[in-house]
Amino acid sequence: MAKELDKYEQSSFLIIKVTYMYYLSGRSQRRIAKDLGISVTTVSRLLKKGPGKKYH
């Protein structure tokens, strides 16, 4: 159970981090992917899960 919670918390943290970097810091998806060591496709998917522009 603890491992599942950790995975959920890490995923939520990454969504928040990517959303912040994209909308508030103005970084491109490509730059975020490079900085975090993940693919551009993953960045795009995380942004779709995040709060989006309605909170921007």
Side-chain angles (χ1 to χ4, degrees):
M1 181 79 175
K3 288 184 180 182
E4 291 177 23
L5 184 59
D6 290 341
K7 185 182 277 190
Y8 175 77
E9 288 175 357
Q10 289 174 357
S11 176
S12 296
F13 176 76
L14 192 55
I15 291 168
I16 292 166
K17 187 171 188 170
V18 167
T19 302
Y20 174 85
M21 292 171 81
Y22 186 75
Y23 290 112
L24 299 178
S25 295
R27 295 186 192 174
S28 69
Q29 291 184 27
R30 182 174 291 194
R31 174 67 190 263
I32 294 167
K34 182 179 178 185
D35 290 349
L36 298 179
I38 58 178
S39 72
V40 176
T41 303
T42 300
V43 171
S44 177
R45 289 180 182 153
L46 290 168
L47 286 170
K48 288 179 184 175
K49 293 180 181 181
K53 288 188 175 181
K54 65 182 176 183
Y55 296 104
H56 177 54

